[in-house]
Amino acid sequence: RRTRPPIGRGAGRNFSTHRQGLKQPGGANLFLLRAGQSLMVVWSTMKVPRTELDERLQRFRESMDRAHPDWELAALFARVNQYYFTGTRQDGLLLVPRGAPAVFWVRRSFERAREESLFPDIRPMASYRDAAAAMPAPPARRIIHLETERVSLAQAQRFRKHFPSPEIGSLDATVGGLRAVKRPYELVIMERCG
């Protein structure tokens, strides 16, 4: 039976550290902290591999093509979804244009996002205006897909001020469906974490 190790001041004093033989890109190590029958698994400086991020984004694009054949631009605001696609949970905006590379625009903290993530295109922004200015303007964007179940009306309005579109579509089911099916990389982590 697994019990949770004590948390708080001095909790680490009674634990011995055992290094597991699993290395990840970016120098991540798996540490097992043991005290009697207690076990805690800790990843140190783990980065989601670039190949995993690329495959997730490719699967997202393919799913959007099937579910929303008219999609033009996907914008992800929720940090858990941003982490799934970029490997970091900073305050920002992930833009996935159809037929062009995705860009993760970070408001806070850009430096930490660069340290944590192997995502190929992370850029700083002060506001959505910065992201809009750097995006190639389409002739007339008809629809933008957002996480409609997670984005507030005020946030959507601020976004649409710089990314005008007559229609908003939902990408919640598409992202949820992708995240529900665990990939081999995720299964290995889940197995190792118990």
Side-chain angles (χ1 to χ4, degrees):
R1 181 176 174 200
R2 291 183 185 170
T3 58
R4 205 174 182 139
I7 304 286
R9 183 183 299 253
R13 277 192 309 230
N14 300 323
F15 283 83
S16 59
T17 303
H18 302 278
R19 189 178 296 229
Q20 183 76 14
L22 180 65
K23 292 282 270 179
Q24 292 292 322
N29 294 305
L30 174 70
F31 294 95
L32 301 178
L33 302 179
R34 295 180 189 265
Q37 297 294 335
S38 299
L39 174 68
M40 180 170 47
V41 179
V42 178
W43 285 94
S44 169
T45 56
M46 182 175 155
K47 293 183 181 181
V48 179
R50 169 75 187 272
T51 54
E52 180 68 20
L53 297 175
D54 290 344
E55 289 172 12
R56 289 175 181 180
L57 205 50
Q58 181 59 35
R59 288 176 52 235
F60 172 73
R61 290 177 184 277
E62 291 167 358
S63 295
M64 288 294 287
D65 288 342
R66 283 190 303 274
H68 310 284
D70 61 341
W71 81 282
E72 299 171 25
L73 177 67
L76 293 106
F77 298 86
R79 290 188 185 186
V80 69
N81 291 334
Q82 290 173 353
Y83 178 81
Y84 183 78
F85 291 110
T86 68
T88 185
R89 289 181 44 149
Q90 302 311 306
D91 179 19
L93 166 67
L94 175 61
L95 292 178
V96 185
R98 184 179 206 152
V103 179
F104 186 38
W105 293 93
V106 178
R107 190 183 335 254
R108 292 183 309 263
S109 157
F110 174 70
E111 294 80 15
R112 184 167 176 188
R114 299 286 299 170
E115 289 173 14
E116 293 178 344
S117 177
L118 296 174
F119 191 77
D121 197 351
I122 301 175
R123 302 181 195 179
M125 74 169 179
S127 72
Y128 298 138
R129 177 183 300 119
D130 298 335
M135 293 282 296
R141 189 178 286 128
R142 295 181 306 105
I143 187 168
I144 296 177
H145 285 79
L146 309 174
E147 302 148 307
T148 56
E149 294 181 13
R150 296 180 179 263
V151 176
S152 70
L153 178 59
Q155 188 175 20
Q157 288 173 337
R158 283 192 303 272
F159 176 76
R160 288 179 75 186
K161 177 180 175 184
H162 301 288
F163 290 85
S165 168
E167 192 176 342
I168 292 293
S170 174
L171 56 74
D172 297 283
T174 304
V175 173
L178 287 176
R179 289 184 43 217
V181 178
K182 301 304 178 202
R183 301 187 32 79
Y185 169 78
E186 295 168 290
L187 293 172
V188 167
I189 292 173
M190 290 170 68
E191 182 180 323
R192 298 223 181 240
C193 291

